[in-house]
Amino acid sequence: MKMKKYSKILVAILLITLLATALFACINPDNDSQGKMTLVVLNGDDAKEYTVDLAKIPSGNSSTGLMAILDYLKDKGELTYTSNDSGYGAYLTQVNELTEGGGNYIYVYTDVQADFDVTQYASQITYKNKSYTNSGVGASQMSVKDGCTIIITTISFA
């Protein structure tokens, strides 16, 4: 009888822990809520820059990281994007004129070192004489910092 009681308590504690972890797992407390960041949509030589005031990004919504920035700009009518939920977060399939297909994939680069891809597949691009490394985390998990620049472009594996 005691064993059954303890197992119910243990299950309840595990359930509460799991729910708390799921609730807070997507929140990135390291993102800045003040300052400005730059988003660049780079299509070949054509670059569209967006300066985003981080204080204007709505808090409490379900979007985090880069997705919160994209949602904000989309809601303002300044850009378009589509994405799929990959189970690991949002997977961008279209941003403005950039689309994936035919061996082309949307790729995201950043100057936030915490988000750099550190695998053997890491790559860099140069934009305005500054080097950017592809992100090693998904768009939903990317860090958004005051003064940072995030570049969305395509890469070809064809």
Side-chain angles (χ1 to χ4, degrees), residues 24-46:
F24 296 109
C26 294
I27 297 173
N28 187 347
D30 296 330
N31 286 342
D32 290 344
S33 59
Q34 298 294 316
K36 295 184 187 294
M37 66 84 61
T38 302
L39 174 68
V40 180
V41 178
L42 187 59
N43 188 2
D45 291 333
D46 181 36

Side-chain angles (χ1 to χ4, degrees), residues 115-133:
D115 291 348
F116 285 1
D117 182 351
V118 295
T119 69
Q120 65 188 19
Y121 305 106
S123 64
Q124 287 80 34
I125 62 169
T126 301
Y127 178 73
K128 291 189 173 180
N129 297 318
K130 185 174 176 183
S131 181
Y132 297 86
T133 301

Side-chain angles (χ1 to χ4, degrees), residues 14-78:
L14 289 173
L15 182 60
I16 290 169
T17 304
L18 178 65
L19 290 174
T21 302
L23 177 64
F24 296 109
C26 294
I27 297 173
N28 187 347
D30 296 330
N31 286 342
D32 290 344
S33 59
Q34 298 294 316
K36 295 184 187 294
M37 66 84 61
T38 302
L39 174 68
V40 180
V41 178
L42 187 59
N43 188 2
D45 291 333
D46 181 36
K48 175 68 177 159
E49 291 189 13
Y50 304 89
T51 301
V52 178
D53 182 348
L54 298 176
K56 294 185 178 181
I57 302 300
S59 61
N61 65 2
S62 61
S63 297
T64 58
L66 175 59
M67 298 310 295
I69 303 299
L70 292 173
D71 284 345
Y72 171 74
L73 291 170
K74 186 176 184 177
D75 289 346
K76 288 181 62 178
E78 294 187 22

Side-chain angles (χ1 to χ4, degrees), residues 6 84 125:
Y6 288 123
N84 293 326
I125 62 169

Side-chain angles (χ1 to χ4, degrees), residues 100-117:
E100 72 169 34
N104 290 323
Y105 298 90
I106 296 190
Y107 230 56
V108 182
Y109 292 85
T110 183
D111 60 359
V112 178
Q113 189 171 1
D115 291 348
F116 285 1
D117 182 351

